[in-house]
Amino acid sequence: MSSTTALPQHYVELSSLCRDIASLTAIGSLIGWDQETYMPPAGAEGRSDQQALLSGITHERKTSKRFGELLAACEADASLMRPGTIEAANIRELRRDYDLSTKLPTSLVSELAKTTSQAQEAWKHARSTNNFPAFAPHLTEVLRLTRQKAECYGIPSFDGPAGPKSRKGELYDALLNEYEPDISAADIQQIFTPLQSRLSAFVAQITGSPIKLSAACAELGATTDQQQALALDVIKAIGFDLQAGRLDKTAHPFCSGIGPGDTRLTTRYTSRSFLEPLSSTLHEAGHGLYDQGLPKTEHFGLPSSDAVSLGIHESQSRMWENFVGRSREFCAYLVPLAKKHFGAAAANLTAEELFKASNTIRRSFIRVESDEATYNLHIMLRFEIERELISGQMEVADLPGEWNNRFKALLGLDVPDNAQGCLQDVHWSFGLIGYFPTYTLGNLYAAQIWETINAKIPDLHARIAQGDFAPLLTFLRENIHHHGRRYSATELCQRITGKPLSADPLMRYLEGKLKPLYQI
Amino acid sequence: MSSTTALPQHYVELSSLCRDIASLTAIGSLIGWDQETYMPPAGAEGRSDQQALLSGITHERKTSKRFGELLAACEADASLMRPGTIEAANIRELRRDYDLSTKLPTSLVSELAKTTSQAQEAWKHARSTNNFPAFAPHLTEVLRLTRQKAECYGIPSFDGPAGPKSRKGELYDALLNEYEPDISAADIQQIFTPLQSRLSAFVAQITGSPIKLSAACAELGATTDQQQALALDVIKAIGFDLQAGRLDKTAHPFCSGIGPGDTRLTTRYTSRSFLEPLSSTLHEAGHGLYDQGLPKTEHFGLPSSDAVSLGIHESQSRMWENFVGRSREFCAYLVPLAKKHFGAAAANLTAEELFKASNTIRRSFIRVESDEATYNLHIMLRFEIERELISGQMEVADLPGEWNNRFKALLGLDVPDNAQGCLQDVHWSFGLIGYFPTYTLGNLYAAQIWETINAKIPDLHARIAQGDFAPLLTFLRENIHHHGRRYSATELCQRITGKPLSADPLMRYLEGKLKPLYQI
């Protein structure tokens, strides 16, 4: 990395604009966090004015003429564009962000904001009354505007056998690339197709097994305070820095990377089982560890201090939630902690019971209630459908029928109603199209990186059983977190694992763990 | 009030700029509140960047050319300037704010920011080491810049016998008027002089009384949670809307009016006595009730939804803290609540004991530890001294000696060291000069309005004993809160009480309550 003093003025000024934009974004994140945690209900209307104003100011700066000029000056400066330098990577990524921000006309942005805001209300009502036709016209309109948005972005090209950017993508790729740059729907399809058939068959095998696992051992009636104390112990143990972060309660768990030294997790507790809230806390803490590991001190505001993509972010949350959190060794680590915090209620808890409870596989209609094995089937269904909706292959009117038929084929269940079918997720009403596949990409990246980590740290599992998570976190810090957006997700995967992304590691991982448990 | 639709375009656009400025200010308040409550320690540096950026953006808008043009257009529009209308009052107050914001050159603002930031650090160190000479050069520099600031503002003129603005003020008035518009140091002196001699003599009488009251009955060892539950019951009872506000814990109690529907109080608890934290909560809730009563829904961002002055704001906090909270009837209301929340520890508590505990008068060196009777002596000392420091009558080097001599004359005590004398307050290091007198003005306004309220609501005290605070709050809402900045503090006092501000009501109130208690 070049020393800052030697950097040309246009790069220094551009970095300073970026830092201000990041500070504004941090403020937006904080007031959003406050809205979900501590804001009194009557503050909602004022808060929405504050958010709108701040978004406007932030957008103005992101798309300013000066930003564009400085960026162009940097691109024209050979001293900055030397391949392999952080500066060159930052300029490349800033160009990507600037183009995304400037390509949409203001009229489309506000039309989308208005339409999706109405669609969210319509969706809430349609889901609660199981009334798809009431939502259909809203979804049609969201899709129409989203296609327009994709056209404004332009269909991206990808590297191919004929050279860099030699492969033309499809309209859906323009949307996908907002969340997961440098990967095409066709690339994803190539990994998803074998995953889908193998996973579907594997789930059928599990379902057919006479072994039925139970999660009843986690139903200890632990109070919210007890669970919060346990959760704090666990996130501290895995390395989440509470001097630079918090854990609060909200209706829906999330992680918000506010700014340097300030990463906030939220979770929700149920008195029923302590495992589900703990998994969700581990998930958010996985996002949080990534956020805390980004080099925000030196590079705040620059892409080199940002996360690579939603898929890589999700790989971190899933790794801690599933690969660590649902392992036999983690359960062994957890038992004494549960006894410490839950007292007599946990007196008879065993690691093996907890391990089984953490790995009960059950087909269900609802994505967010599904388990490690079936989850990806839910995602692949959505990916297929939204891709066809964007290309025009599928009509909105046919969505419920198509959903139900494909769900039956994938999971062998008859969807009883649209509320438990195609109306269950909020995403499409928000205009989040191209977002779903990043969840499964996250699982795939996690599995492939996990295999490499296991090869490099032979005693990883023994360490986990002892509550020593440092070797794992150190690996993630050095190989992923510290790089920011220097490498794309594809490059990062290749650098760490030596191979392009494939379905094999995830299938090996699931089969290796679940076959013995279900005796299949 | 004119209906919004009929208002001219320049007024509508100006109102919209004001609303945006107020939303930005709200965001600044929120991130400031977060810094004191929930921000993780490592977030401090990023937060200070965020605050600086936001202040800059807010200041730019407050001082923009467009703002000035619209304001001038409004002033030139006779349809808006009809005396007695809300619009005319808003335009008058916006002119005042705009002039205050635009009169200081940027270089002076940043020099002041830098100097006071260093002075605060120096003050902390000087106080903890009792080293006045180490602070003296910093104070000298703060005073030099503050005089420059006052000169930029310009010496204000006041209404006098010879007509409006016929009385020329002094340099100190320019500073005072930032916090307390339309009152001069000479006006204040005229009220303070009799107050000072009467109060000083009265305190000597109390001190000479053989009766010594004790606050020991409040030392019940109540936990933080018990005290917080009691505090919430009390603030709800007096009318603080928790759907539009919160109560959190901080190192130093404060009230922050974030924005419409969002008023946040903070307090701190000690396990020693529950009375001191409760008084402080009542004080902040008094500010909070004012904030919640301002017409922010219709007028947000305009002066008609803002507080009149620091003195009037303080009159509201002091009214609830002292006039209500230290009354015999409030103590009667409090006893069953204390029993409810503190259980057996409060079994023997009586209203009379609590009343005495709430009214123990003791001379002390420290302003923030002083009581209702001695407090104003501390303030008057500071007012005198800072006025002389600004006029040049007093030199910084003479400050400790002058402080100690005058303190002895006022309170009859020998100040043991400067840490307990002229180094005790943070205000001057912040450049807050002209601020102190607003505390005593608050007490004086509260006393004078309290007398009127008692005359208009004959059963006020009986209602308070029953926990019925609605008649009092309704009076404050209708006569103070709802008007925003429509009337100046002086006008408001005249409108409510029929008289100009005087020392008599406060003396009558203190003597009426304390003479029987101390049998003097």
Side-chain angles (χ1 to χ4, degrees), chain A residues 256-448:
Chain A
S256 180
I258 309 272
D262 196 350
T263 305
R264 305 196 184 189
L265 316 178
T266 74
T267 197
R268 90 185 130 197
Y269 301 103
T270 74
S271 56
R272 206 167 32 79
S273 162
F274 80 89
L275 269 189
E276 199 190 300
L278 184 65
S279 288
S280 142
T281 307
L282 268 173
H283 180 101
E284 301 310 334
H287 284 304
L289 287 172
Y290 187 10
D291 192 62
Q292 291 191 331
L294 292 167
K296 288 196 203 166
T297 315
E298 314 97 272
H299 301 278
F300 184 59
L302 290 173
S304 45
S305 83
D306 273 351
V308 179
S309 69
L310 288 188
I312 295 297
H313 228 309
E314 195 72 6
S315 78
Q316 302 304 288
S317 58
R318 298 292 176 161
M319 191 175 289
W320 291 98
E321 176 193 359
N322 293 334
F323 295 77
V324 174
R326 296 184 202 281
S327 70
R328 182 172 265 118
E329 294 75 15
F330 186 82
C331 292
Y333 154 75
L334 202 55
V335 166
L337 271 184
K339 294 189 180 183
K340 171 183 159 198
H341 290 289
F342 306 155
N348 299 318
L349 197 65
T350 69
E352 196 58 25
E353 264 183 331
L354 262 189
F355 179 52
K356 286 178 180 164
S358 301
N359 289 286
T360 58
I361 306 298
R362 259 189 208 91
R363 295 172 302 169
S364 67
F365 298 109
I366 304 297
R367 175 182 62 87
V368 296
E369 293 170 6
S370 70
D371 50 64
E372 225 183 336
T374 56
Y375 186 86
N376 298 300
L377 294 172
H378 290 265
I379 294 303
M380 290 184 279
L381 169 69
R382 285 154 178 79
F383 168 64
E384 237 177 71
I385 288 177
E386 65 180 21
R387 195 175 169 203
E388 292 177 26
L389 284 169
I390 288 297
S391 75
Q393 255 180 286
M394 191 188 294
E395 294 294 327
V396 167
D398 299 330
L399 172 55
E402 286 295 330
W403 180 288
N404 298 352
N405 290 340
R406 297 181 197 201
F407 193 86
K408 172 84 177 184
L410 280 173
L411 277 141
L413 295 178
D414 291 305
V415 176
D417 55 44
N418 292 326
Q420 293 183 75
C422 65
L423 278 177
Q424 69 183 269
D425 293 305
V426 72
H427 298 58
W428 291 338
S429 74
F430 266 94
L432 290 175
I433 295 168
Y435 189 108
F436 276 124
T438 68
Y439 290 124
T440 287
L441 287 173
N443 286 323
L444 291 164
Y445 282 124
Q448 192 155 328

Side-chain angles (χ1 to χ4, degrees), chain A residues 221-236:
Chain A
T223 66
T224 294
D225 285 351
Q226 289 172 327
Q227 293 188 57
Q228 170 96 358
L230 173 76
L232 286 170
D233 269 3
V234 169
I235 64 175
K236 262 186 273 184

Side-chain angles (χ1 to χ4, degrees), chain B residues 82-113:
Chain B
R82 284 195 308 272
T85 62
I86 289 210
E87 290 75 25
N90 276 334
I91 293 163
R92 174 196 75 217
E93 295 295 305
L94 286 174
R95 164 59 62 197
R96 200 185 98 80
D97 297 349
Y98 186 72
D99 286 350
L100 277 179
S101 301
T102 50
K103 276 182 174 169
L104 302 187
T106 318
S107 59
L108 180 58
V109 172
S110 52
E111 214 183 338
L112 259 166

